Amino acid sequence: KKLLALARAGFVDEARTVSSLSTAARNDPWTGQAEAIADLLSGDIASACRRNANLSSGRDDLFWVKLRVLCYAQAGETDAADLTYGILRDQGALNDSDAAFLTAALTETTPKTPPATRSSLHYAIAQDLGLPLSPGLLDDADAGVLVAVARNAAVDTATRIVAAERSIAMGVMAPTELASIFQSAEFDLAEIGAAPVAAIERAVDPLTDALLYHSIGEMAAPEFLRDKAQRIAMALSLANSFHRAYALSLLYADEIAALEGAIVTPDEASRFALARMAVGD
């Protein structure tokens, strides 16, 4: 079960390493489920389905039954997929997202209303069918899904930023990965120069965090220390959620520590104090 928790939290490589050292049988349902989750988060539906087919026990666990609907659909076994889906529906075992994603897998059509992506199964289906991912669809996502979205270069940058900030707040991703996502966002010099104005106008836009990060990075010279402090405080002030505030506190931890002794306003000082408390200082 610890291995399963590791996989669900998005530590895919670590889960596979631990699984390879396990003394459990190759068809053990717990180990197999952790490996199947790792497969789904990596987009390898075929491998997850092979693990499902090789089970000799635990086949009635809801994870495996839901996965079988997808596997039957992928194999073109429509009748078996419909039957399994019907049993799950009649048992009340499907939430709204399960129903929407599995129906999409069965019919190979896009739902009229994009469903919330919560589990590794949902994420794998979304990737397979090219279904949309957006910040609003990740509110109830497992940590592993958030990590997978944050690391997926094919997903739009704003969604990756939100996923990364949530992952950092959960303790399953390092702030350096958020920095890499910020660096991958492209802005021209005029946008970077006008970052403070844009930040006020688009305070809730995740890309604003990336824009301010670029503008702060341009202030490397000592004479920009005062402006840099002001810009970091602005970036922190935009945080309208716990995960955003915590992730940015960790991201700018070294820069804030380097401001020790600099003259700042009371408002800026309060921002920095909160950020330092967030990292345990």
Side-chain angles (χ1 to χ4, degrees), residues 27-65:
N27 56 1
D28 173 68
W30 288 107
T31 305
Q33 186 172 157
E35 292 174 336
I37 288 172
D39 291 334
L40 293 171
L41 292 175
S42 302
D44 192 349
I45 294 174
S47 179
C49 289
R50 284 194 296 272
R51 299 186 196 282
N52 200 338
N54 291 335
L55 286 176
S56 59
S57 63
R59 293 177 56 83
D60 293 334
D61 184 275
L62 282 177
F63 171 84
W64 294 115
V65 181

Side-chain angles (χ1 to χ4, degrees), residues 7-248:
R8 284 176 174 163
F11 296 101
V12 171
D13 293 337
E14 293 85 347
R16 285 175 171 152
T17 298
V18 174
S19 177
S20 70
L21 301 174
S22 171
T23 58
R26 291 177 62 85
N27 56 1
D28 173 68
W30 288 107
T31 305
Q33 186 172 157
E35 292 174 336
I37 288 172
D39 291 334
L40 293 171
L41 292 175
S42 302
D44 192 349
I45 294 174
S47 179
C49 289
R50 284 194 296 272
R51 299 186 196 282
N52 200 338
N54 291 335
L55 286 176
S56 59
S57 63
R59 293 177 56 83
D60 293 334
D61 184 275
L62 282 177
F63 171 84
W64 294 115
V65 181
K66 291 176 184 179
L67 177 57
R68 274 201 294 280
V69 177
L70 174 59
C71 296
Y72 285 140
Q74 293 267 306
E77 299 178 30
T78 307
D79 291 342
D82 286 337
L83 177 61
T84 307
Y85 178 86
I87 292 172
L88 287 168
R89 181 191 58 216
D90 294 343
Q91 291 178 341
L94 300 174
N95 59 42
D96 292 343
S97 292
D98 289 334
F101 277 109
L102 290 177
T103 298
L106 283 167
T107 60
E108 296 186 353
T109 58
T110 301
K112 292 182 179 180
T113 301
T117 303
R118 299 176 180 176
S119 69
S120 56
L121 181 64
H122 301 162
Y123 177 73
I125 294 173
Q127 292 298 288
D128 187 55
L129 298 180
L131 302 183
L133 288 168
S134 66
L137 299 177
L138 299 174
D139 288 344
D140 298 316
D142 289 345
V145 172
L146 293 171
V147 172
V149 171
R151 292 175 177 168
N152 189 341
V155 175
D156 68 275
T157 304
T159 302
R160 293 181 67 200
I161 289 172
V162 171
E165 289 176 345
R166 287 182 178 275
S167 298
I168 291 169
M170 289 181 174
V172 296
M173 178 176 280
T176 52
E177 294 199 62
L178 177 60
S180 296
I181 297 172
F182 283 168
Q183 289 168 349
S184 70
E186 297 183 357
F187 303 101
D188 59 37
L189 290 177
E191 288 179 294
I192 295 173
V197 176
I200 295 172
E201 294 175 348
R202 304 195 301 270
V204 299
D205 185 349
L207 288 173
T208 300
D209 289 347
L211 178 59
L212 286 173
Y213 182 81
H214 278 259
S215 71
I216 291 166
E218 294 291 322
M219 299 178 178
E223 58 267 28
F224 290 122
L225 183 64
R226 180 69 193 84
D227 293 332
K228 186 175 184 179
Q230 185 180 43
R231 199 68 53 87
I232 294 173
M234 172 178 279
L236 294 170
S237 72
L238 297 181
N240 57 348
S241 64
F242 166 77
H243 61 263
R244 189 178 181 187
Y246 185 69
L248 293 177

Side-chain angles (χ1 to χ4, degrees), residues 233-234 237 264-273:
M234 172 178 279
S237 72
V264 297
T265 69
D267 183 65
E268 291 164 358
S270 70
R271 301 290 179 190
F272 299 150

